[in-house]
Amino acid sequence: MKIAQIDFGSFLTYSPYGETDVEKRSRTARTNLKRDEHINIGSNHPLMSDYLAELIKKKLDTLPFASFFNKDSILIPAPSSSLLKSDSLWVPERLANALVKTGLGKDTKSCLQRVRAVAKSSKVSSENRPKVIDHYNSLVVQKILGEPKEILVIDDIVTRGSTLLGAVNRLADAFPNARIRGFAFMRTITNSNEFESIIKPCTGKIILREDGWPLRRP
Amino acid sequence: MVEEASYPSIQLEDLLGRPLNNIEQKFAPKMIFYKGSMEIPIPGPRVSIIGSRGASEKGLSEAKEISKILIENEVVIVSGLARGIDTIGHKTAIEKGGRTIAVIGTSLNKVYPKENFSLQEEIMKNHLVISQYPAGHSTTPKDFVLRNRTMALISDATVIVEAGDSSGSLHQGWETLRIGRPLFICKDVVENSQLEWPEKMMNYGAMELDEPIDILENLPGNIKMMPELLQ
């Protein structure tokens, strides 16, 4: 792997364990996002993907990751940790399409595929979680016409950042001249004391540590 | 035969209180017939407890333990009113003062298996029984496959407690994965080298269930999102 550090942006946060009202609501928002459900906003029922993409578009000038979305950005959905059948829900692809539909990014290219399942991070002890290299080794890039100048890897939720860092490294092999960054709609705040609100836009870095694990900041 | 000629019907979207996305719509029935005292839209979170009709004593005991912990955490138990695991799921919910939904593969005026007549009546009286088939519908084996997919759709997560390679529960398992909901497989089943399906499903995102508490971590809160928090 050539890339030891990537820039990423994210829009929302959720708390997996906290018991305050807003933390519980953040988990409902996580479910809405992970299922791309229709949500109730007054008398409207937009898909979560469309709603969030429109919201980002509306607020873009004030968001720290505004520069991530420009007219040349090709959005590439991050694969899930498991294999995926063709008619199954693939949320990052739906999120990328929703962003492009609002004019955020030039096009979606679903060219990054998982060819071997890796363990779900939430289901294994921390020492058995897949490392960045495990993600990198289980991903392949399908050929697309031309090399994008600017790539944004789109994911639904970033926890430690292994998937994004593995994906960026795999894409960098295929598109060595492209600038590649990551964007996750939601970021996990594991320590309940650090959770502030559901909307908490940020930019930051995911760094490959010497032991093979990623470090996400913030 | 349950004594009633026709039952009220409702669109599935109204039963759930929200429209379905295009992935959910693929196998969703348009209309649902229902009988019971549960509020509509149906409350959540909801978890399906499913598995073999001829389950082992250990499987039945595990189904009971999982259902009990879910009930203690105000989860609605969903199942298909079949013998074995399904029956234990419904009965545990009733015994522990919880709530349960039976999604049956026949029309509401029929009972299958016959031995669950009084259980179906009890659920119709104090909980909820639903079916996608109108009274008078002639039941075929395929109806149960479609029913299993509907059960996946109305559940926030599904637990397969015990099932062989040809079990009907596998239809629900695959549909659960297709629509992006959490699917749990009990540890003993995952570790049973005679079975092929657990490994296949785990490659597509199913999770081994070590502790029932793992299910709770994967459910939506029973507290709704407030739109203003996303403004």
Side-chain angles (χ1 to χ4, degrees):
Chain A
M1 293 189 296
K2 299 172 193 160
I3 298 177
Q5 177 175 304
I6 63 166
D7 294 321
F8 84 101
S10 81
F11 186 42
L12 311 175
T13 62
Y14 94 96
S15 164
Y17 308 113
E19 284 301 313
T20 66
D21 245 30
V22 70
E23 287 173 296
K24 288 178 182 172
R25 291 183 206 283
S26 79
R27 292 199 284 277
T28 302
R30 173 204 60 183
T31 300
N32 296 150
L33 176 65
K34 285 198 78 74
R35 294 184 192 171
D36 195 17
E37 286 181 337
H38 286 272
I39 55 171
N40 298 320
I41 303 284
S43 57
N44 297 322
H45 308 285
L47 282 169
M48 188 70 164
S49 55
D50 289 336
Y51 180 73
L52 292 178
E54 289 287 349
L55 196 58
I56 290 171
K57 169 86 171 175
K58 197 168 105 186
K59 291 174 173 270
L60 192 63
D61 290 345
T62 65
L63 295 173
F65 48 76
S67 69
F68 284 41
F69 295 96
N70 61 53
K71 61 180 175 47
D72 293 325
S73 301
I74 295 296
L75 309 191
I76 297 184
S80 134
S81 57
S82 41
L83 304 180
L84 196 70
K85 294 194 175 184
S86 59
D87 61 347
S88 302
L89 184 73
W90 183 11
V91 172
E93 185 184 56
R94 295 168 72 94
L95 293 167
N97 287 336
L99 288 165
V100 169
K101 201 163 68 181
T102 64
L104 295 171
K106 185 178 178 184
D107 198 2
T108 301
K109 297 286 183 194
S110 303
C111 60
L112 190 60
Q113 292 183 345
R114 183 84 63 185
V115 290
R116 196 173 55 256
V118 296
K120 281 183 187 290
S121 291
S122 60
K123 280 299 296 171
V124 291
S125 57
S126 52
E127 69 272 18
N128 290 324
R129 283 180 180 169
K131 291 185 172 182
V132 176
I133 189 76
D134 299 318
H135 284 279
Y136 173 79
N137 285 335
S138 63
L139 295 168
V140 296
V141 180
Q142 306 292 318
K143 278 190 180 162
I144 58 173
L145 280 177
E147 177 167 355
K149 289 180 190 158
E150 183 89 30
I151 291 174
L152 193 55
V153 182
I154 303 293
D155 209 348
D156 48 5
I157 297 177
V158 58
T159 300
R160 292 160 60 105
S162 298
T163 304
L164 280 178
L165 198 46
V168 168
N169 269 285
R170 182 51 76 192
L171 287 165
D173 293 344
F175 308 115
N177 300 311
R179 179 184 193 186
I180 312 175
R181 293 183 284 191
F183 181 78
F185 276 71
M186 195 172 242
R187 159 170 73 98
T188 310
I189 304 294
T190 309
N191 181 348
S192 177
N193 294 327
E194 292 174 7
F195 179 85
E196 293 175 29
S197 58
I198 296 176
I199 290 201
K200 192 70 182 167
C202 81
T203 56
K205 295 196 181 297
I206 300 168
I207 300 156
L208 181 62
R209 300 190 324 196
E210 283 185 5
D211 59 8
W213 303 109
L215 179 70
R216 192 195 86 198
R217 287 287 178 267
Chain B
M1 176 102 43
V2 174
E3 293 293 327
E4 194 152 348
S6 64
Y7 297 89
S9 61
I10 188 174
Q11 291 197 5
L12 184 58
E13 299 193 340
D14 293 327
L15 185 79
L16 297 175
R18 61 175 179 83
L20 304 177
N21 69 30
N22 62 316
I23 303 288
E24 293 170 321
Q25 281 168 11
K26 183 169 181 181
F27 297 114
K30 284 277 178 289
M31 300 301 289
I32 291 287
F33 299 88
Y34 66 96
K35 183 163 173 63
S37 58
M38 194 175 279
E39 67 266 33
I40 288 173
I42 50 177
R46 303 174 293 272
V47 172
S48 272
I49 301 294
I50 58 168
S52 297
R53 283 169 288 181
S56 66
E57 281 303 316
K58 191 172 181 196
L60 295 172
S61 154
E62 217 163 351
K64 189 168 189 170
E65 182 62 18
I66 295 165
S67 302
K68 182 171 154 283
I69 289 170
L70 292 175
I71 288 296
E72 285 166 1
N73 286 278
E74 299 179 7
V75 174
V76 179
I77 303 292
V78 179
S79 203
L81 208 81
R83 286 189 195 99
I85 303 286
D86 290 23
T87 297
I88 291 290
H90 293 304
K91 283 187 171 172
T92 305
I94 294 166
E95 284 164 16
K96 299 292 174 190
R99 297 196 280 185
T100 189
I101 300 174
V103 186
I104 63 174
T106 64
S107 56
L108 292 175
N109 61 327
K110 293 182 184 171
V111 179
Y112 182 81
K114 298 284 181 211
E115 69 206 49
N116 275 346
F117 177 85
S118 58
L119 180 58
Q120 182 164 326
E121 281 212 320
E122 162 71 15
I123 298 174
M124 281 180 157
K125 186 176 171 202
N126 294 317
H127 301 267
L128 186 69
V129 181
I130 66 173
S131 168
Q132 62 204 85
Y133 305 110
H137 174 81
S138 297
T139 303
T140 68
K142 195 184 173 197
D143 294 342
F144 291 88
V145 175
L146 298 176
R147 179 281 306 268
N148 291 343
R149 289 176 178 152
T150 302
M151 208 148 66
L153 187 52
I154 73 157
S155 302
D156 295 301
T158 289
V159 182
I160 303 181
V161 180
E162 205 174 272
D165 279 323
S166 59
S167 169
S169 299
L170 306 193
H171 295 290
Q172 180 165 344
W174 284 116
E175 181 64 0
T176 299
L177 294 172
R178 194 187 71 79
I179 61 176
R181 309 274 172 87
L183 173 68
F184 294 92
I185 306 172
C186 284
K187 192 173 178 155
D188 283 355
V189 182
V190 173
E191 290 174 351
N192 183 346
S193 58
Q194 306 290 309
L195 296 173
E196 291 179 6
W197 68 265
E199 188 183 349
K200 282 185 194 164
M201 282 196 190
M202 289 186 72
N203 277 331
Y204 283 88
M207 295 173 274
E208 179 180 314
L209 183 65
D210 296 322
E211 301 289 337
I213 202 88
D214 295 347
I215 306 166
L216 300 173
E217 286 172 13
N218 284 273
L219 295 179
N222 54 8
I223 181 160
K224 287 203 181 308
M225 183 61 213
M226 292 167 72
E228 56 270 30
L229 291 175
L230 283 179
Q231 302 292 315

